[in-house]
């Protein structure tokens, strides 16, 4: 196992009806800004519940944080925070709203141009306003981690940051809040969480047995619950399992003490920035192709994954690896997410554009061995056409 430090201060308050607990969780004297996305939080009544639970506190609102939150929009929230002397941020939404709130928390306390937070990947964040969340979409794990991803529309740059100051103080996870999600968003959540585990698991062995077994359990849970999580009418226990699995997939636990990849995410972010494809869908395009491209470097873990997650036995080692890749692609397709660029109307010109953006953003040595150069990314994308 590699050396590590593990720290996660986020309190999780899980279960039906738990939004009411905001009354005790948010400090009584807080001047609160509630941040949300488009119309879903209002339409579903969650915003009213939040307001009721906050009672007599001073509460303002900032709506309109878009999927793949933009720097341009978030800077308007920063201006509101400063003008109204806000001292507590409450995100109500999915990963985009929570990520955006983390950025606002850091940017509001930042001296200088806040875009530098993205350029420095958060290393320059020295303080942030306290923040918390009410999660309405299980997928990203943002509710229990310290990372965020922000897009600068003007330059089509989608960059991530993280800081120890950006963990939510608490997150409310009520599985019934997922009942209003369209099936496509449930499918996105299943795939995003799956790929989060893969980024931290499918590298090379370092004798990290609990992390490996835990990661394999999370992957199997996602495969097992997928049909039930997608079923209508929604089933509480399936949605609860999806919600908690997605949180555990990226709260630092399985990533502690192991090498991590994240190349699929970095390539995927460029696809979203250029073409607006949902985050999870970009991952479904890139990962199977990346597994194929990196099959030598990832050989030991691919064989372990084939055997333990998909119960592949028999055949040569290469046949077992082929089967593991086929199962992975089939799982994504089974929840309705296409895994080829062509299915999104993209061809070779997109490959050139993504590779150019990766280069422009300094993504020159991706992956656990820092061996995925822009030319390797090109090969991965060409194989995904
Ligand atoms: O905007 P509204 O109207 O609220 O609608 C949203 C949005 O259109 C809707 N929605 C959310 N909850 C709903 C609902 N609709 C009905 N009922 C509900 N209960 O869903 C749409 C998508 O929301 P979004 O927050 O964008 O989705 P997601 O949670 O998948 O977040 C994606 C963002 O997170 C980043 C991605 O890059 C992307 O920008 N990520 C953040 C990570 C992190 N912080 O650790 C890691 C991830 O890898 C990812 O990169
Ligand atoms: Zn992701």
């Amino acid at each position: 196992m590699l050396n590590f430090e593990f720290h996660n201060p986020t309190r999780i308050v899980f279960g039906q009806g738990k939004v009411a607990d905001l009354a005790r969780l948010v400090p009584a004297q807080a001047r609160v800004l509630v941040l949300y996305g488009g119309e879903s939080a209002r339409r579903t009544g969650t915003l009213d519940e939040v307001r009721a639970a906050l009672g007599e506190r001073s509460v303002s609102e900032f709506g309109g944080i878009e999927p793949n939150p933009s720097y341009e929009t978030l800077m308007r929230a920063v201006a509101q925070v400063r003008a109204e002397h806000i001292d507590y941020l409450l995100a109500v939404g999915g990963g985009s709203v929570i990520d955006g709130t983390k950025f606002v928390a850091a940017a509001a306390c930042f001296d200088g141009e806040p875009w530098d937070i993205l350029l420095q990947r958060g290393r320059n964040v020295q303080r942030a306003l306290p923040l918390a969340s009410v999660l309405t979409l299980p997928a990203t794990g943002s509710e229990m981690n310290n990372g965020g991803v922000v897009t600068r529309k003007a330059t089509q740059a989608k960059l991530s940051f993280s800081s120890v100051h950006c963990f939510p103080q608490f997150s409310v996870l009520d599985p019934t809040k997922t009942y209003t999600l369209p099936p496509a968003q449930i499918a996105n959540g299943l795939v995003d969480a799956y790929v989060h585990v893969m980024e931290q698991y499918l590298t090379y062995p370092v004798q990290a047995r609990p992390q490996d077994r835990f990661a394999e359990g999370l992957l199997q849970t996602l495969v097992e619950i997928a049909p039930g999580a997608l079923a209508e009418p929604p089933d509480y226990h399936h949605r609860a399992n999806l919600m908690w699995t997605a949180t555990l997939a990226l709260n630092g636990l399985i990533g502690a003490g192991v090498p991590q990849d994240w190349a699929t995410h970095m390539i995927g972010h460029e696809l979203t920035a250029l073409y607006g494809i949902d985050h999870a869908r970009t991952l479904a395009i890139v990962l199977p192709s990346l597994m194929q491209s990196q099959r030598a470097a990832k050989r030991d873990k691919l064989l372990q994954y084939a055997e333990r997650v998909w119960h592949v036995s028999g055949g040569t080692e290469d046949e077992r690896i082929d089967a593991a890749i086929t199962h992975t692609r089939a799982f994504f397709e089974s929840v309705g997410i296409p895994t080829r660029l062509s299915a999104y109307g993209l061809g070779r010109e997109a490959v050139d554009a993504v590779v150019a953006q990766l280069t422009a953003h300094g993504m020159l040595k991706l992956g656990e061995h820092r061996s995925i150069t822009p030319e390797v990314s090109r090969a991965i994308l060409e194989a995904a056409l």
Side-chain angles (χ1 to χ4, degrees), residues 192 196 265 279 283:
D192 195 17
H196 291 161
H265 269 70
H279 170 65
L283 308 176

Side-chain angles (χ1 to χ4, degrees), residues 2-245:
L2 310 179
N3 295 349
F4 69 89
E5 197 175 313
F6 177 71
H7 172 76
N8 192 318
T10 302
R11 175 196 304 218
I12 296 296
V13 181
F14 193 99
Q16 180 160 17
K18 290 296 181 186
V19 173
D21 287 33
L22 290 174
R24 68 176 170 90
L25 293 165
V26 176
Q29 302 305 321
R31 292 178 61 81
V32 184
L33 182 65
V34 175
L35 300 97
Y36 58 97
E39 276 307 303
S40 80
R42 186 185 304 280
R43 199 180 58 234
T44 58
T46 303
L47 215 48
D48 285 340
E49 271 178 69
V50 166
R51 240 188 259 115
L54 291 174
E56 297 303 306
R57 291 175 183 80
S58 157
V59 178
S60 309
E61 290 178 6
F62 183 87
I65 298 179
E66 57 279 75
N68 312 304
S70 77
Y71 166 82
E72 288 84 349
T73 299
L74 298 172
M75 286 308 291
R76 290 197 286 108
V78 172
Q80 185 172 342
V81 165
R82 290 186 174 145
E84 298 181 2
H85 305 291
I86 298 291
D87 60 19
Y88 203 94
L89 304 182
L90 181 61
V92 179
S96 294
V97 174
I98 303 174
D99 283 10
T101 300
K102 291 174 181 174
F103 177 76
V104 173
C109 304
F110 191 75
D111 298 323
E113 163 53 65
W115 184 247
D116 285 347
I117 294 172
L118 279 311
L119 295 179
Q120 299 277 325
R121 305 288 189 263
R123 285 187 297 270
N124 49 357
V125 173
Q126 280 164 4
R127 54 191 184 278
L129 291 177
L131 70 120
S133 85
V134 173
L135 181 68
T136 65
L137 195 175
T140 65
S142 187
E143 65 278 7
M144 199 179 175
N145 68 39
N146 64 358
V149 192
V150 174
T151 300
R152 191 156 189 166
K153 278 193 207 154
T155 54
Q156 291 184 307
K158 181 171 183 176
L159 301 180
S160 55
F161 73 102
S162 66
S163 163
V164 69
H165 304 291
C166 292
F167 280 102
Q169 284 191 343
F170 67 83
S171 286
V172 174
L173 276 57
D174 177 347
T176 67
K177 294 292 163 209
T178 70
Y179 289 3
T180 52
L181 283 166
Q185 291 295 351
I186 296 286
N188 284 352
L190 287 161
V191 169
D192 195 17
Y194 196 94
V195 181
H196 291 161
V197 179
M198 294 290 269
E199 298 273 28
Q200 301 164 87
Y201 166 78
L202 196 74
T203 57
Y204 54 89
V206 291
Q207 286 287 335
R209 291 174 188 238
Q211 293 92 323
D212 276 6
R213 294 281 185 190
F214 193 8
E216 289 152 1
L218 294 175
L219 295 172
Q220 287 181 312
T221 303
L222 290 165
V223 173
E224 186 176 294
I225 65 174
L230 285 162
E232 292 289 346
D235 170 73
Y236 181 82
H237 291 293
H238 278 111
R239 295 297 174 93
N241 277 285
L242 171 58
M243 206 169 219
W244 188 224
T245 306

Side-chain angles (χ1 to χ4, degrees), residues 323-343:
I325 298 170
T326 302
H327 277 298
T328 307
R329 187 186 293 284
F331 173 58
F332 299 159
E333 300 269 353
S334 77
V335 299
I337 297 198
T339 59
R340 296 277 177 197
L341 281 166
S342 52

